mmCIF file of all heavy atoms in Angstrom:
data_model
loop_
_atom_site.group_PDB
_atom_site.id
_atom_site.type_symbol
_atom_site.label_atom_id
_atom_site.label_comp_id
_atom_site.label_asym_id
_atom_site.label_seq_id
_atom_site.Cartn_x
_atom_site.Cartn_y
_atom_site.Cartn_z
ATOM 1 N N ASP H 3 1.975 5.255 0.599
ATOM 2 C CA ASP H 3 1.738 6.187 1.719
ATOM 3 C C ASP H 3 0.454 6.960 1.492
ATOM 4 O O ASP H 3 -0.307 7.211 2.391
ATOM 5 C CB ASP H 3 2.924 7.153 1.855
ATOM 6 C CG ASP H 3 4.123 6.478 2.482
ATOM 7 O OD1 ASP H 3 3.923 5.402 3.138
ATOM 8 O OD2 ASP H 3 5.242 7.069 2.420
ATOM 9 N N GLY H 9 -6.809 6.054 3.810
ATOM 10 C CA GLY H 9 -7.565 5.076 4.642
ATOM 11 C C GLY H 9 -7.688 5.525 6.020
ATOM 12 O O GLY H 9 -8.661 5.152 6.716
ATOM 13 N N PRO H 12 -10.837 9.063 7.330
ATOM 14 C CA PRO H 12 -12.176 8.968 7.987
ATOM 15 C C PRO H 12 -12.013 8.717 9.475
ATOM 16 O O PRO H 12 -12.827 9.197 10.267
ATOM 17 C CB PRO H 12 -12.871 7.806 7.262
ATOM 18 C CG PRO H 12 -12.123 7.682 6.012
ATOM 19 C CD PRO H 12 -10.738 8.067 6.234
ATOM 20 N N VAL H 14 -9.496 9.649 11.491
ATOM 21 C CA VAL H 14 -9.030 10.827 12.122
ATOM 22 C C VAL H 14 -10.133 11.883 12.257
ATOM 23 O O VAL H 14 -10.350 12.496 13.314
ATOM 24 C CB VAL H 14 -7.778 11.440 11.390
ATOM 25 C CG1 VAL H 14 -7.410 12.801 11.915
ATOM 26 C CG2 VAL H 14 -6.593 10.470 11.484
ATOM 27 N N ALA H 17 -12.515 10.749 14.863
ATOM 28 C CA ALA H 17 -11.958 10.978 16.225
ATOM 29 C C ALA H 17 -12.161 12.425 16.625
ATOM 30 O O ALA H 17 -12.509 12.706 17.739
ATOM 31 C CB ALA H 17 -10.506 10.612 16.253
ATOM 32 N N GLY H 20 -15.581 12.829 17.525
ATOM 33 C CA GLY H 20 -15.846 12.202 18.831
ATOM 34 C C GLY H 20 -15.476 13.138 19.971
ATOM 35 O O GLY H 20 -16.216 13.203 20.980
ATOM 36 N N ALA H 26 -20.134 18.369 23.350
ATOM 37 C CA ALA H 26 -21.589 18.600 23.289
ATOM 38 C C ALA H 26 -22.280 17.891 24.426
ATOM 39 O O ALA H 26 -23.195 18.426 25.078
ATOM 40 C CB ALA H 26 -22.157 18.147 21.905
ATOM 41 N N ARG H 31 -24.827 17.695 29.821
ATOM 42 C CA ARG H 31 -24.665 17.227 31.230
ATOM 43 C C ARG H 31 -24.659 18.377 32.217
ATOM 44 O O ARG H 31 -25.055 18.229 33.379
ATOM 45 C CB ARG H 31 -23.396 16.385 31.377
ATOM 46 C CG ARG H 31 -23.628 15.029 30.811
ATOM 47 C CD ARG H 31 -22.553 14.066 31.236
ATOM 48 N NE ARG H 31 -22.815 12.806 30.630
ATOM 49 C CZ ARG H 31 -21.914 11.906 30.375
ATOM 50 N NH1 ARG H 31 -20.665 12.129 30.757
ATOM 51 N NH2 ARG H 31 -22.214 10.790 29.827
ATOM 52 N N GLN H 32 -24.124 19.532 31.781
ATOM 53 C CA GLN H 32 -24.196 20.705 32.680
ATOM 54 C C GLN H 32 -25.637 21.006 33.018
ATOM 55 O O GLN H 32 -25.965 21.273 34.147
ATOM 56 C CB GLN H 32 -23.546 21.899 31.953
ATOM 57 C CG GLN H 32 -23.568 23.180 32.758
ATOM 58 C CD GLN H 32 -22.753 23.079 34.063
ATOM 59 O OE1 GLN H 32 -21.666 22.472 34.067
ATOM 60 N NE2 GLN H 32 -23.227 23.623 35.114
ATOM 61 N N SER H 36 -27.216 20.313 36.701
ATOM 62 C CA SER H 36 -27.742 21.514 37.343
ATOM 63 C C SER H 36 -29.210 21.327 37.746
ATOM 64 O O SER H 36 -29.649 21.915 38.746
ATOM 65 C CB SER H 36 -27.683 22.707 36.413
ATOM 66 O OG SER H 36 -26.303 23.021 36.154
ATOM 67 N N LYS H 51 -12.924 6.178 40.823
ATOM 68 C CA LYS H 51 -12.827 4.753 41.104
ATOM 69 C C LYS H 51 -11.493 4.147 40.668
ATOM 70 O O LYS H 51 -10.898 3.385 41.364
ATOM 71 C CB LYS H 51 -14.004 3.987 40.490
ATOM 72 C CG LYS H 51 -14.078 2.567 40.801
ATOM 73 C CD LYS H 51 -14.502 2.397 42.254
ATOM 74 C CE LYS H 51 -14.717 0.880 42.498
ATOM 75 N NZ LYS H 51 -15.190 0.630 43.828
ATOM 76 N N PRO H 61 -5.651 19.722 42.339
ATOM 77 C CA PRO H 61 -6.365 20.742 43.077
ATOM 78 C C PRO H 61 -7.838 20.714 42.767
ATOM 79 O O PRO H 61 -8.260 20.549 41.625
ATOM 80 C CB PRO H 61 -5.709 22.050 42.626
ATOM 81 C CG PRO H 61 -4.373 21.675 42.078
ATOM 82 C CD PRO H 61 -4.527 20.295 41.525
ATOM 83 N N TYR H 76 -11.605 10.061 25.726
ATOM 84 C CA TYR H 76 -12.420 8.813 25.532
ATOM 85 C C TYR H 76 -13.382 8.974 24.367
ATOM 86 O O TYR H 76 -13.544 8.065 23.577
ATOM 87 C CB TYR H 76 -13.194 8.576 26.871
ATOM 88 C CG TYR H 76 -13.989 7.277 26.885
ATOM 89 C CD1 TYR H 76 -13.351 6.080 26.989
ATOM 90 C CD2 TYR H 76 -15.347 7.356 26.738
ATOM 91 C CE1 TYR H 76 -14.079 4.898 27.004
ATOM 92 C CE2 TYR H 76 -16.102 6.182 26.804
ATOM 93 C CZ TYR H 76 -15.466 4.975 26.889
ATOM 94 O OH TYR H 76 -16.231 3.831 26.909
ATOM 95 N N GLY H 77 -14.012 10.154 24.271
ATOM 96 C CA GLY H 77 -14.909 10.442 23.171
ATOM 97 C C GLY H 77 -14.185 10.368 21.821
ATOM 98 O O GLY H 77 -14.734 9.886 20.831
ATOM 99 N N ALA H 78 -12.960 10.894 21.762
ATOM 100 C CA ALA H 78 -12.185 10.845 20.514
ATOM 101 C C ALA H 78 -11.905 9.406 20.137
ATOM 102 O O ALA H 78 -11.975 8.996 18.968
ATOM 103 C CB ALA H 78 -10.866 11.610 20.675
ATOM 104 N N GLY H 85 -15.247 5.706 13.071
ATOM 105 C CA GLY H 85 -14.642 5.941 11.778
ATOM 106 C C GLY H 85 -14.106 4.639 11.129
ATOM 107 O O GLY H 85 -13.897 4.607 9.922
ATOM 108 N N PRO H 88 -17.562 0.250 8.470
ATOM 109 C CA PRO H 88 -17.721 0.403 7.022
ATOM 110 C C PRO H 88 -18.462 1.620 6.631
ATOM 111 O O PRO H 88 -19.445 1.983 7.317
ATOM 112 C CB PRO H 88 -18.443 -0.893 6.580
ATOM 113 C CG PRO H 88 -18.252 -1.833 7.710
ATOM 114 C CD PRO H 88 -18.073 -1.001 8.949
ATOM 115 N N ALA H 93 -22.769 5.749 6.845
ATOM 116 C CA ALA H 93 -23.614 6.706 6.086
ATOM 117 C C ALA H 93 -25.098 6.612 6.392
ATOM 118 O O ALA H 93 -25.852 7.494 5.987
ATOM 119 C CB ALA H 93 -23.370 6.393 4.578
ATOM 120 N N GLY H 98 -25.391 6.908 13.750
ATOM 121 C CA GLY H 98 -24.830 7.721 14.864
ATOM 122 C C GLY H 98 -25.632 7.553 16.122
ATOM 123 O O GLY H 98 -25.072 7.192 17.183
ATOM 124 N N PHE H 109 -21.414 0.945 28.584
ATOM 125 C CA PHE H 109 -21.019 1.468 29.900
ATOM 126 C C PHE H 109 -21.936 0.913 30.969
ATOM 127 O O PHE H 109 -21.421 0.456 32.012
ATOM 128 C CB PHE H 109 -21.084 3.010 29.887
ATOM 129 C CG PHE H 109 -20.678 3.588 31.212
ATOM 130 C CD1 PHE H 109 -19.363 3.769 31.537
ATOM 131 C CD2 PHE H 109 -21.654 3.928 32.169
ATOM 132 C CE1 PHE H 109 -18.993 4.274 32.765
ATOM 133 C CE2 PHE H 109 -21.277 4.409 33.393
ATOM 134 C CZ PHE H 109 -19.959 4.578 33.725
ATOM 135 N N GLU H 110 -23.222 1.008 30.773
ATOM 136 C CA GLU H 110 -24.174 0.576 31.801
ATOM 137 C C GLU H 110 -24.077 -0.930 32.133
ATOM 138 O O GLU H 110 -24.168 -1.308 33.276
ATOM 139 C CB GLU H 110 -25.575 0.873 31.362
ATOM 140 C CG GLU H 110 -25.963 2.357 31.416
ATOM 141 C CD GLU H 110 -26.057 2.873 32.815
ATOM 142 O OE1 GLU H 110 -26.545 2.181 33.731
ATOM 143 O OE2 GLU H 110 -25.590 4.008 33.031
ATOM 144 N N MET H 111 -23.838 -1.765 31.101
ATOM 145 C CA MET H 111 -23.874 -3.210 31.298
ATOM 146 C C MET H 111 -22.525 -3.826 31.516
ATOM 147 O O MET H 111 -22.439 -4.931 32.067
ATOM 148 C CB MET H 111 -24.551 -3.892 30.096
ATOM 149 C CG MET H 111 -26.019 -3.576 30.002
ATOM 150 S SD MET H 111 -26.806 -4.570 28.737
ATOM 151 C CE MET H 111 -27.110 -3.337 27.506
ATOM 152 N N GLY H 118 -17.520 -1.523 39.579
ATOM 153 C CA GLY H 118 -18.222 -1.456 40.853
ATOM 154 C C GLY H 118 -18.677 -0.067 41.140
ATOM 155 O O GLY H 118 -18.711 0.366 42.309
ATOM 156 N N THR H 125 -32.636 5.192 39.670
ATOM 157 C CA THR H 125 -31.838 5.866 38.660
ATOM 158 C C THR H 125 -32.516 5.948 37.302
ATOM 159 O O THR H 125 -31.814 6.238 36.347
ATOM 160 C CB THR H 125 -30.506 5.166 38.460
ATOM 161 O OG1 THR H 125 -30.723 3.793 38.110
ATOM 162 C CG2 THR H 125 -29.648 5.233 39.735
ATOM 163 N N VAL H 127 -34.553 8.256 35.852
ATOM 164 C CA VAL H 127 -34.395 9.546 35.254
ATOM 165 C C VAL H 127 -32.962 9.813 34.922
ATOM 166 O O VAL H 127 -32.666 10.335 33.823
ATOM 167 C CB VAL H 127 -35.011 10.633 36.195
ATOM 168 C CG1 VAL H 127 -34.702 12.039 35.651
ATOM 169 C CG2 VAL H 127 -36.463 10.470 36.351
ATOM 170 N N ASP H 135 -27.800 12.039 26.356
ATOM 171 C CA ASP H 135 -26.561 12.653 25.973
ATOM 172 C C ASP H 135 -25.679 11.713 25.093
ATOM 173 O O ASP H 135 -24.878 12.144 24.286
ATOM 174 C CB ASP H 135 -25.797 13.280 27.106
ATOM 175 C CG ASP H 135 -25.246 12.365 28.161
ATOM 176 O OD1 ASP H 135 -24.850 11.210 27.875
ATOM 177 O OD2 ASP H 135 -25.077 12.837 29.327
ATOM 178 N N TYR H 139 -24.236 12.322 21.442
ATOM 179 C CA TYR H 139 -22.837 11.990 21.058
ATOM 180 C C TYR H 139 -22.838 11.265 19.741
ATOM 181 O O TYR H 139 -22.094 11.662 18.850
ATOM 182 C CB TYR H 139 -22.226 11.081 22.179
ATOM 183 C CG TYR H 139 -20.896 10.517 21.782
ATOM 184 C CD1 TYR H 139 -19.744 11.243 21.904
ATOM 185 C CD2 TYR H 139 -20.839 9.252 21.211
ATOM 186 C CE1 TYR H 139 -18.522 10.684 21.530
ATOM 187 C CE2 TYR H 139 -19.598 8.695 20.856
ATOM 188 C CZ TYR H 139 -18.438 9.424 21.000
ATOM 189 O OH TYR H 139 -17.249 8.901 20.610
ATOM 190 N N VAL H 142 -23.605 13.544 16.741
ATOM 191 C CA VAL H 142 -22.500 14.417 16.395
ATOM 192 C C VAL H 142 -21.345 13.646 15.738
ATOM 193 O O VAL H 142 -20.742 14.058 14.772
ATOM 194 C CB VAL H 142 -21.999 15.201 17.576
ATOM 195 C CG1 VAL H 142 -20.766 16.056 17.322
ATOM 196 C CG2 VAL H 142 -23.102 16.151 18.135
ATOM 197 N N ARG H 153 -15.238 8.380 2.897
ATOM 198 C CA ARG H 153 -15.408 7.109 2.223
ATOM 199 C C ARG H 153 -14.226 6.233 2.442
ATOM 200 O O ARG H 153 -13.123 6.539 2.700
ATOM 201 C CB ARG H 153 -15.638 7.279 0.769
ATOM 202 C CG ARG H 153 -16.994 7.927 0.572
ATOM 203 C CD ARG H 153 -17.382 7.930 -0.870
ATOM 204 N NE ARG H 153 -18.710 8.554 -0.829
ATOM 205 C CZ ARG H 153 -19.140 9.484 -1.653
ATOM 206 N NH1 ARG H 153 -18.318 9.945 -2.608
ATOM 207 N NH2 ARG H 153 -20.288 9.991 -1.549
#
Side-chain angles (χ1 to χ4, degrees):
D3 284 343
V14 171
R31 285 196 181 154
Q32 179 64 40
S36 295
K51 185 72 173 183
Y76 183 75
F109 179 83
E110 287 290 322
M111 291 188 252
T125 57
V127 171
D135 68 29
Y139 171 83
V142 174
R153 292 190 177 133

